[in-house]
Amino acid sequence: MELSTLDYSFIIVFFSIVLAIGVIVSKKSGKNTTEFFLSGRTMPWWLLGLSMVATTFSTDTPNLVTDIVRTNGVSGNWVWWAFLITGLLTVFVYAKLWRKSNVNTDLEFYELRYGGAAASFLRKFRAIYLGVIFNVITMSAVTLAAIKIGGIMLGLEPWQTVISAGLITVTFSALGGFKGVVYTDFLLFFVAMSGAIGAAYYLVNIPEVGGIQALMANENVIDKLSILPDFSNKQALITLLVIPLAVQWWSSWYPGAEPGGGGYIAQRMLAAKNENHAIGATFFFNIMHYALRPWPWILVALASLVVYPDIASIHEAFPMIANDKLGNDLAYSAMLTKLPSGLLGLVLASLIAAYMSTISTQLNWGSSYIVYDFYKQQINPHASEKRLVAVGRISTVILMVFSAALALLLQNALQLFEVLLVFGAGTGLIFILRWFWWRINAWSEITAMFASGIISIVLKFTSVGAYLFASETGIFPDWSEYIFVVLLTTIIWMAATFVTKPETNDVLRSFYMKIQPGGPGWSKVVREAEKDQQKIITTDEKWSVPSGIAAMLMGCILIYSCMFATGYWIYGHTLKASILTGVAVISGLLLAKVWNKMKGTIL
């Protein structure tokens, strides 16, 4: 495939702007670690919200969505749509708590909530566990998608894609820090969104597909269109809808969708101007992430079923692709090769934007863990701000090298999604409850982390899992295995919680005074403090969690209605689309009413 001068112009201008932003903000970002990792805690809600959306665009996401749609139909996306519940729980319950904590990373929370050697170990271990191991795995999935796009669209060897895409990204990330990431995300969002919409519109109307009506009627597509799984098929209903909504959203730790907030989402909440901006940013992100983004990718995935009905047809069209890189996820890149000059350059720039946004965020976030939660805690507690920024920049480069090396060994993004989902199974409930139940301690989290990981490894990489959970459905993921890990991990960490000693009164009372979580889960601590004539309740505000849960439910109805109404408008199902649009308007009004009672205006 040949790129025109216009295509190259789009890409060159885009790269130039991104690098310029990194250079311009590098001086201020290098002043201290608060600037380098949190931009001085001065960011407005709208900029942080756009940054979160740009981060989750990612080059592997359209590939993943394409793989899901081609394998399980549109309804297969409930495997990640279910995380909206987690996202809105973070918005209306946890965002203000994170901002009030005023920590530098979400791992610093451990030594605020827990005490002693166990808390110190947990913070340092998870700095490596999440900041390096999980982070490198996540980035390798994104880089793998870039490799496949580069191979199909540009004929590049994997190592050529890794070097060319990674070099510019790691350069501006190391120079500009968090501020550079957020500022470039603002540009990257609009470029990525324009490319996704433009590609979907053009590809649905190419002669091979024949337009939206022909697409909807195609024999390869017609049984993939349903937004909800077939209710008469109990296996599909339970696998694709019930378990994600009933179990998955609260039980699993997954990057970007951590129960109770965490990771780079927490980093952006901590960088907000105040609590209201933290809430506004996360709510804006969830609206854009779920209601706006999915449909361009879904349409291209459906169109790909017409042009490339199976993996064999993809291989026939692109024989240069190695067998170990073949998969349904390649169909998205394969479709993009049909774009005309100009639009092709814009879409390539948008894919580069998606890659750079995700990788730069992961690099800065992972580096913050290494600097604050490992290097400063374990190696050099008295390091100067200049030294810490230098370590941050060096670790940024090292993380990029590790993730690029791993990407060269992987085959498809769906593999990693499954591994990450099951690997964190059973830990999510701790992240929800630890704010509101005094009895959870550091050993609860340590036990859950190791139990989930060890059980997952045993089931995934030994004959035990194959023996216990031989999958007969072929539907991803194998939920029997997932639920087993959730139940066993939960039993283990709950037992550890009651067997081990609770945190000391000093730790619990200090945490309560700073955060003011409220609720019946802290009543014992409050009563004992009152007996000791220590006042730890410092506000007259009512416990906001019940109202927050009501707002979460209204928000879910609002965003799901918007997302599905959009789909039905595209499908041409006017009645369903109109009803859901009305539901979205009503739920939006009710949400505003509930939220105004909680806090007043968001902004």
Side-chain angles (χ1 to χ4, degrees):
M1 184 180 68
E2 295 291 332
L3 296 182
S4 68
T5 303
L6 182 60
D7 296 325
Y8 280 115
S9 298
F10 274 121
I11 297 170
I12 291 171
V13 169
F14 171 75
F15 273 139
S16 300
I17 294 174
V18 168
L19 282 174
I21 291 173
V23 172
I24 291 169
V25 303
S26 61
K27 186 175 181 180
K28 188 172 183 180
S29 294
K31 286 174 59 179
N32 54 57
T33 50
T34 303
E35 283 290 343
F36 191 78
F37 294 117
L38 295 172
S39 191
R41 303 185 193 272
T42 59
M43 287 289 173
W45 65 271
W46 57 271
L47 190 55
L48 290 172
L50 283 177
S51 177
M52 293 182 201
V53 183
T55 295
T56 55
F57 252 102
S58 183
T59 43
D60 66 319
T61 310
N63 289 16
L64 176 64
V65 170
T66 300
D67 204 341
I68 290 171
V69 171
R70 287 174 63 92
T71 304
N72 296 325
V74 174
S75 62
N77 285 287
W78 281 102
V79 75
W80 67 275
W81 285 344
F83 283 126
L84 173 63
I85 305 172
T86 306
L88 292 188
L89 192 65
T90 297
V91 171
F92 295 112
V93 175
Y94 294 99
K96 69 175 183 178
L97 300 177
W98 277 113
R99 190 60 186 84
K100 284 167 70 174
S101 72
N102 207 39
V103 294
N104 291 304
T105 69
D106 58 314
L107 297 189
E108 189 178 330
F109 169 87
Y110 289 125
E111 293 188 280
L112 178 68
R113 174 62 177 83
Y114 312 126
S120 179
F121 165 79
L122 184 59
R123 180 180 179 184
K124 287 178 285 194
F125 182 83
R126 282 184 75 83
I128 302 301
Y129 180 70
L130 299 180
V132 178
I133 298 173
F134 260 67
N135 197 22
V136 164
I137 291 173
T138 303
M139 288 192 293
S140 67
V142 178
T143 304
L144 173 64
I147 287 172
K148 294 192 175 190
I149 291 168
I152 282 187
M153 300 188 70
L154 301 174
L156 296 176
E157 293 292 327
W159 67 268
Q160 293 174 317
T161 301
V162 166
I163 291 177
S164 57
L167 190 60
I168 293 178
T169 306
V170 76
T171 299
F172 91 79
S173 299
L175 286 174
F178 183 74
K179 183 170 289 186
V181 170
V182 173
Y183 284 0
T184 52
D185 278 349
F186 180 78
L187 169 67
L188 300 179
F189 168 79
F190 290 104
V191 174
M193 201 69 225
S194 299
I197 293 173
Y201 181 82
Y202 182 86
L203 293 172
V204 166
N205 289 288
I206 60 176
E208 297 99 308
V209 178
I212 191 69
Q213 296 302 321
L215 175 64
M216 299 295 110
N218 188 276
E219 62 179 357
N220 295 332
V221 174
I222 197 165
D223 63 341
K224 303 283 188 180
L225 292 174
S226 179
I227 294 172
L228 295 172
D230 183 1
F231 278 58
S232 64
N233 185 338
K234 291 184 178 180
Q235 177 66 48
L237 181 65
I238 292 171
T239 301
L240 298 179
L241 184 64
V242 174
I243 292 177
L245 287 178
V247 180
Q248 179 191 311
W249 70 268
W250 59 264
S251 62
S252 183
W253 185 98
Y254 185 78
E258 300 87 346
Y264 62 81
I265 300 296
Q267 184 186 33
R268 277 148 177 77
M269 291 187 286
L270 294 168
K273 288 181 178 181
N274 53 43
E275 295 169 29
N276 287 342
H277 280 268
I279 296 168
T282 48
F283 186 50
F284 183 54
F285 156 66
N286 278 280
I287 293 174
M288 303 292 279
H289 179 60
Y290 292 99
L292 179 66
R293 290 190 324 153
W295 285 105
W297 298 332
I298 290 172
L299 286 173
V300 174
L302 293 172
S304 75
L305 287 166
V306 179
V307 181
Y308 305 105
D310 51 31
I311 295 176
S313 60
I314 299 174
H315 194 200
E316 183 180 352
F318 302 95
M320 80 290 290
I321 300 299
N323 289 332
D324 66 344
K325 295 291 189 268
L326 279 173
N328 277 312
D329 57 338
L330 275 175
Y332 189 82
S333 305
M335 291 296 291
L336 297 184
T337 62
K338 298 184 175 296
L339 296 175
S341 176
L343 181 56
L344 176 61
L346 175 63
V347 170
L348 273 174
S350 76
L351 293 172
I352 295 168
Y355 170 82
M356 295 176 71
S357 176
T358 303
I359 293 295
S360 61
T361 288
Q362 296 291 143
L363 288 173
N364 188 265
W365 162 63
S367 181
S368 73
Y369 282 5
I370 294 171
V371 170
Y372 280 124
D373 303 302
F374 185 78
Y375 180 82
K376 190 175 181 180
Q377 293 294 309
Q378 184 71 27
I379 298 175
N380 191 354
H382 305 294
S384 66
E385 287 293 309
K386 186 176 180 180
R387 169 63 65 88
L388 293 175
V389 170
V391 172
R393 285 174 167 159
I394 292 169
S395 60
T396 297
V397 175
I398 293 173
L399 288 173
M400 185 73 241
V401 172
F402 283 168
S403 65
L406 179 59
L408 295 172
L409 303 176
L410 296 175
Q411 183 173 354
N412 67 62
L414 207 53
Q415 288 175 320
L416 286 178
F417 183 85
E418 182 180 9
V419 169
L420 291 176
L421 199 62
V422 177
F423 213 74
T427 63
L429 192 59
I430 289 183
F431 304 125
I432 292 175
L433 294 180
R434 64 187 182 180
W435 296 86
F436 298 109
W437 185 26
W438 70 276
R439 192 59 181 84
I440 286 179
N441 59 31
W443 289 107
S444 307
E445 294 212 29
I446 292 171
T447 304
M449 177 176 61
F450 282 103
S452 178
I454 292 170
I455 295 168
S456 299
I457 290 172
V458 170
L459 295 181
K460 280 289 177 189
F461 303 109
T462 70
S463 58
V464 176
Y467 176 76
L468 292 176
F469 305 107
S471 177
E472 298 178 357
T473 64
I475 299 174
F476 169 79
D478 183 352
W479 288 115
S480 59
E481 178 183 338
Y482 177 84
I483 291 176
F484 178 80
V485 177
V486 169
L487 288 175
L488 188 55
T489 300
T490 302
I491 291 170
I492 291 172
W493 74 253
M494 285 290 287
T497 299
F498 288 105
V499 168
T500 56
K501 292 182 179 180
E503 300 297 336
T504 65
N505 284 336
D506 287 344
V507 169
L508 294 172
R509 293 174 187 181
S510 174
F511 176 79
Y512 194 97
M513 288 183 68
K514 186 176 183 66
I515 305 299
Q516 297 294 295
W522 286 94
S523 58
K524 182 177 184 295
V525 175
V526 172
R527 285 196 307 269
E528 291 183 354
E530 289 174 348
K531 287 180 182 179
D532 294 338
Q533 296 184 338
Q534 182 179 2
K535 184 180 180 182
I536 62 174
I537 298 178
T538 60
T539 178
D540 295 329
E541 292 182 8
K542 292 182 179 180
W543 194 41
S544 62
V545 170
S547 297
I549 293 174
M552 177 195 76
L553 294 174
M554 286 296 103
C556 285
I557 295 171
L558 168 64
I559 294 175
Y560 280 139
S561 297
C562 289
M563 180 165 63
F564 302 147
T566 302
Y568 286 128
W569 284 119
I570 292 171
Y571 289 177
H573 299 171
T574 306
L575 179 59
K576 290 181 180 179
S578 300
I579 292 172
L580 284 169
T581 301
V583 171
V585 172
I586 293 170
S587 58
L589 294 173
L590 292 174
L591 174 60
K593 187 175 181 180
V594 171
W595 177 241
N596 285 333
K597 285 183 178 180
M598 288 175 58
K599 187 72 178 178
T601 180
I602 287 179
L603 307 181

